[in-house]
Amino acid sequence: MTLTCCRQTSRFLLQTRTVQSRAYASASSFKRKNGARDGEGAQDSHGEQPTARRRRDTAFLPMPTSQLTHPLFQPDQLSRLTLQPFHPEIITPAIISQALKFPHNDKDPFRIFGLPRNLLVEFRILSSPCSVVRDVTVNVVNRLDTASQASSVDHRLVLTGASGSGKSVLLLQALQYCHTRDWIVFYFPRAISLVNSTTTYAYDPRTRLYQQTIFAFQTLQRFLTVNSHRVEQLKTTVDVELERRATIPAGTSLADLVRAGIKERALAPTILMALMEELQKQTEFPVLLAIDDFQAIYCKTKYRDPHFSAIKPYHLSIPRLLLEFASGKRQFARGAVLGALSTTNVEFQLPLELAESLGIPPVSYGGAYTKRSSTLQDYAKGLERVVVPDALTVQEAMEVFDLWSKDNAIPSVPTDEFFLSKYSESCGNARKFVWKGFLVSLST
């Protein structure tokens, strides 16, 4: 009797537990099917979502500025640098070792064409983009004044010097000088982008070159923005024939020619070539072709043909165009070609053919029997070297030091001892003086 009662009691408890568990599972299953969890989808008496949901949604929203009243949240008020504007009339020996600020307008070449990476970061940190005029700046400006009345074949200059010596800044100063002197300017701040396989390309059997349509399209856009008021005054001298399109007749303004390439992207390489041919013949405005990372257009490219062989730089449309102007095979009736070497990218180092043409010790020399490209040697003939001093003078370094101290880039109180220590540590190198002397304290 006792055994039977125990069995019945156990069976009852088991059934009760099963019913409870099934009821619990059923409720949870119903909630999951309806996409609801505990606390989700419910509203309070005011019709608002739960506090946990609101906290999760607003976790990363900034506080309103009106609530940041504590002095800790009040940044130092930075005063903009008060410097003379960069104007061609004052670029004389009397202004050497003084800082000048670049003008601020929407059509400045370096704002439209872009900047090398290091300069871009520096100009973003400074309250006003500026540079220090050096002795070599005045020398290059004088050479450009002569080139404004002569063919570019006699003025193909390449800026050389140690890494961080200021070649890109000098190239930018020359670009700004020519722009304010009413030149037509082309600027390629990162020529490595032409050969590192970052732009689309397609083979054109008509020209037997690999066309870089997107880059040509962007170049036309930037060129027209910077030089619109000059090219409006120039007309085409010949008809421009387009494949499967209406011919652009002679007498069309160069601005309208460029707009045709911008309107239809597929025509950009053809329009760019026609534009350069017209600029070669006109004599109303001198033309400056400025190329940073100049050595890159002589290096092996990252592009590959259908057989996965490396494409030569002179088989790409835009690098070939630049090489022809650099070698003198193409020339402007008035103007100059100005390049600047760069050593920061180890994948595109100075090639042997260009180093020998400029009289610079090559990066790696395998001896007299090292194979050389006769085509690249031909493209490097006649280039003239302009040496940028490896170190800043004391006066130039003092101006740079004052520039950054006025912008509160120096963490401590600027003293003569601090200046001399940083100048000695960098050996006067401009980039090291700024980046390892001042800006290293701002890195985290």
Side-chain angles (χ1 to χ4, degrees):
M1 184 69 178
T2 305
L3 181 59
T4 303
C5 291
C6 290
R7 288 179 178 176
Q8 291 178 352
T9 304
S10 301
R11 188 178 303 166
F12 174 77
L13 292 175
L14 181 60
Q15 290 176 353
T16 304
R17 190 176 304 168
T18 304
V19 170
Q20 290 178 350
S21 63
R22 286 178 180 174
Y24 178 78
S26 176
S28 301
S29 176
F30 178 77
K31 289 183 179 180
R32 284 196 296 269
K33 287 181 180 179
N34 287 273
R37 297 177 181 175
D38 294 339
E40 290 191 7
Q43 295 182 351
D44 57 13
S45 60
H46 299 285
E48 297 182 354
Q49 297 293 332
T51 306
R53 180 67 175 272
R54 292 201 304 272
R55 185 183 298 115
R56 183 167 64 251
D57 291 343
T58 61
F60 299 102
L61 293 179
M63 292 180 63
T65 307
S66 58
Q67 296 183 15
L68 303 178
T69 57
H70 193 277
L72 180 64
F73 300 108
Q74 302 299 323
D76 296 334
Q77 297 296 325
L78 299 178
S79 58
R80 298 187 68 86
L81 295 171
T82 55
L83 302 171
Q84 283 185 286
F86 190 98
H87 195 272
E89 300 300 332
I90 64 175
I91 307 300
T92 61
I95 205 72
I96 291 177
S97 300
Q98 293 188 29
L100 302 177
K101 66 177 181 180
F102 292 113
H104 182 80
N105 59 68
D106 295 335
K107 293 188 178 181
D108 284 334
F110 69 89
R111 298 182 188 277
I112 304 302
F113 286 108
L115 287 168
R117 195 175 307 276
N118 287 340
L119 285 183
L120 179 63
V121 175
E122 290 182 14
F123 285 179
R124 284 180 175 177
I125 297 175
L126 286 170
S127 59
S128 297
C130 55
S131 64
V132 175
V133 178
R134 306 171 67 181
D135 182 63
V136 68
T137 306
V138 178
N139 294 338
V140 170
V141 161
N142 292 336
R143 297 288 299 272
L144 292 174
D145 286 338
T146 305
S148 64
Q149 302 298 327
S151 171
S152 65
V153 72
D154 299 322
H155 299 88
R156 294 173 289 132
L157 312 177
V158 180
L159 305 178
T160 65
S163 177
S165 58
K167 301 181 291 295
S168 295
V169 174
L170 177 57
L171 183 65
L172 186 61
Q173 290 174 334
L175 175 73
Q176 191 67 35
Y177 177 84
C178 291
H179 179 65
T180 53
R181 295 285 285 183
D182 209 25
W183 286 48
I184 294 175
V185 295
F186 269 101
Y187 182 40
F188 294 88
R190 303 177 188 179
I192 290 178
S193 299
L194 292 169
V195 295
N196 64 356
S197 191
T198 56
T199 59
T200 58
Y201 65 109
Y203 184 74
D204 183 9
R206 182 177 58 87
T207 59
R208 295 188 292 181
L209 295 173
Y210 289 91
Q211 302 290 352
Q212 297 167 290
T213 305
I214 301 299
F215 203 97
F217 170 76
Q218 294 172 345
T219 301
L220 290 176
Q221 283 184 316
R222 295 162 182 163
F223 172 82
L224 184 62
T225 303
V226 174
N227 304 284
S228 58
H229 65 286
R230 301 182 182 94
V231 295
E232 288 283 3
Q233 307 174 38
L234 302 176
K235 308 292 183 182
T236 57
T237 57
V238 296
D239 295 342
V240 179
E241 297 183 359
L242 304 175
E243 187 177 1
R244 300 178 182 178
R245 309 294 194 287
T247 300
I248 298 178
T252 304
S253 70
L254 292 189
D256 291 337
L257 176 67
V258 174
R259 292 189 186 102
I262 296 175
K263 183 178 180 180
E264 194 165 353
R265 185 176 299 181
L267 301 177
T270 304
I271 297 297
L272 179 60
M273 189 65 64
L275 172 66
M276 299 303 289
E277 291 176 354
E278 293 294 339
L279 292 178
Q280 290 177 239
K281 294 179 284 187
Q282 63 85 31
T283 57
E284 189 170 348
F285 299 101
V287 183
L288 175 69
L289 179 58
I291 309 168
D292 212 336
D293 296 329
F294 182 73
Q295 81 290 342
I297 60 176
Y298 289 84
C299 295
K300 295 180 180 179
T301 74
K302 297 291 184 180
Y303 290 95
R304 295 293 183 266
D305 63 12
H307 301 287
F308 208 72
S309 299
I311 299 175
K312 304 295 183 183
Y314 43 83
H315 290 158
L316 293 168
S317 59
I318 299 182
R320 184 187 181 92
L321 183 65
L322 301 182
L323 286 170
E324 289 179 348
F325 278 104
S327 63
K329 295 182 178 182
R330 291 176 179 266
Q331 56 183 305
F332 301 111
R334 298 172 57 196
V337 178
L338 186 60
L341 300 182
S342 173
T343 58
T344 55
N345 194 314
V346 296
E347 291 184 326
F348 297 95
Q349 293 286 354
L350 181 67
L352 179 61
E353 297 85 357
L354 183 59
E356 291 180 341
S357 177
L358 296 173
I360 304 174
V363 177
S364 60
Y365 181 65
Y369 297 101
T370 302
K371 186 176 180 179
R372 294 161 175 81
S373 171
S374 58
T375 305
L376 291 179
Q377 286 179 326
D378 192 32
Y379 280 125
K381 283 183 179 178
L383 293 172
E384 187 175 352
R385 176 186 178 190
V386 177
V387 180
V388 178
D390 295 345
L392 299 169
T393 64
V394 176
Q395 291 77 15
E396 294 167 353
M398 288 176 61
E399 186 68 13
V400 173
F401 184 80
D402 291 341
L403 204 64
W404 286 95
S405 61
K406 291 177 182 177
D407 256 7
N408 297 332
I410 300 176
S412 59
V413 178
T415 60
D416 293 343
E417 291 78 6
F418 182 78
F419 163 74
L420 291 174
S421 65
K422 297 303 178 182
Y423 183 73
S424 302
E425 291 171 6
S426 62
C427 297
N429 183 274
R431 182 187 299 163
K432 293 180 180 178
F433 184 58
V434 173
W435 283 89
K436 294 187 178 181
F438 315 142
L439 301 186
V440 69
S441 61
L442 303 180
S443 61
T444 56

